[in-house]
Amino acid sequence: MDYSGGSNAKLDPAKRDEFMNEVKQQLAIASAQELLQKMTNKCFKKCITKPGTSLSNSEHKCVAMCMDRYIDTQNLVAQAFSSRLQQEMSRMQ
Amino acid sequence: HTMDSGQIDQQLAQDLELERQKGKIQQEIFQKSEMCWDMCVGSMSAKFDGKTESCIVNCVERYVDTAVAIQKRFQEKLSMGRM
């Protein structure tokens, strides 16, 4: 995507920062919502095998563990992916 | 300071592009996490055991290997006029 145009256009830096902060915030919110959605799907599958009339204590416990494990998974993936990305990029140079 | 409709603040353009790239990588991480969770994670525990952790790491690595292999083979096919 090419946003470039004339180089004389300059926003007031404070306005630009304000706009970027707004953008970043919106992105963070959307990202968190997506994460919660995925977690709900995965943890429901893992923990609620026979739906009862309410969530049992063990089901609550399982969901709590599941959330932590899912975050662990994301951290492992982020780490493995970023180091591999760096490897591939240095190979291309 | 007025801005013509055809002119964009360069710094803003750069900042937005950076966020776009970050978003792309975030999506990749989300997608791989889902995939490798499905492949590697069995029952719930208080902590991942070594087997599960290495499965997840291997999952990511092998996925990248697959992407690289496919890209390479695709290039070969293109240059051989087979596609």
Side-chain angles (χ1 to χ4, degrees):
Chain A
M1 261 175 153
D2 184 17
Y3 296 111
S4 68
S7 52
N8 352 345
K10 282 268 192 295
L11 277 178
D12 165 11
K15 282 240 161 74
R16 186 201 300 135
D17 285 350
E18 192 185 317
F19 177 70
M20 278 316 296
N21 281 337
E22 183 67 33
V23 168
K24 286 179 194 175
Q25 204 177 68
Q26 291 301 321
L27 289 175
I29 289 172
S31 183
Q33 282 178 340
E34 193 175 348
L35 176 61
L36 288 184
Q37 236 251 310
K38 289 183 195 294
M39 266 188 195
T40 303
N41 284 342
K42 297 304 177 192
C43 296
F44 182 80
K45 276 195 199 148
K46 285 286 182 199
C47 295
I48 286 82
T49 43
K50 287 195 116 175
T53 51
S54 68
L55 286 182
S56 68
N57 279 337
S58 59
E59 282 169 338
H60 270 292
K61 262 172 112 177
C62 178
V63 168
M65 277 196 293
C66 176
M67 285 179 71
D68 291 345
R69 298 296 75 73
Y70 200 80
I71 302 271
D72 288 346
T73 303
Q74 282 216 308
N75 287 338
L76 281 169
V77 168
Q79 216 171 54
F81 188 56
S82 89
S83 68
R84 186 58 194 272
L85 248 192
Q86 283 177 9
Q87 224 178 73
E88 292 300 319
M89 289 205 300
S90 60
R91 199 174 294 180
M92 291 195 293
Q93 279 164 2
Chain B
H1 305 113
T2 54
M3 250 169 60
D4 290 2
S5 55
Q7 294 179 315
I8 303 285
D9 179 293
Q10 281 286 56
Q11 183 63 53
L12 181 62
Q14 271 175 34
D15 291 348
L16 284 173
E17 178 59 22
L18 182 61
E19 286 305 315
R20 195 184 71 87
Q21 300 281 17
K22 280 157 75 175
K24 259 182 90 180
I25 296 193
Q26 180 67 275
Q27 279 307 307
E28 294 260 26
I29 291 176
F30 275 169
Q31 185 221 31
K32 283 169 187 55
S33 298
E34 260 195 293
M35 208 168 49
C36 298
W37 172 276
D38 287 342
M39 279 187 159
C40 297
V41 177
S43 54
M44 284 303 103
S45 54
K47 193 167 141 50
F48 278 151
D49 61 24
K51 215 172 99 178
T52 311
E53 272 199 25
S54 26
C55 178
I56 293 171
V57 171
N58 286 339
C59 171
V60 177
E61 293 274 347
R62 298 301 73 77
Y63 183 90
V64 175
D65 286 346
T66 306
V68 168
I70 285 180
Q71 191 167 56
K72 216 172 140 188
R73 189 118 193 280
F74 187 73
Q75 295 284 54
E76 287 167 10
K77 280 180 183 274
L78 275 181
S79 63
M80 288 192 296
R82 293 267 194 85
M83 283 188 89

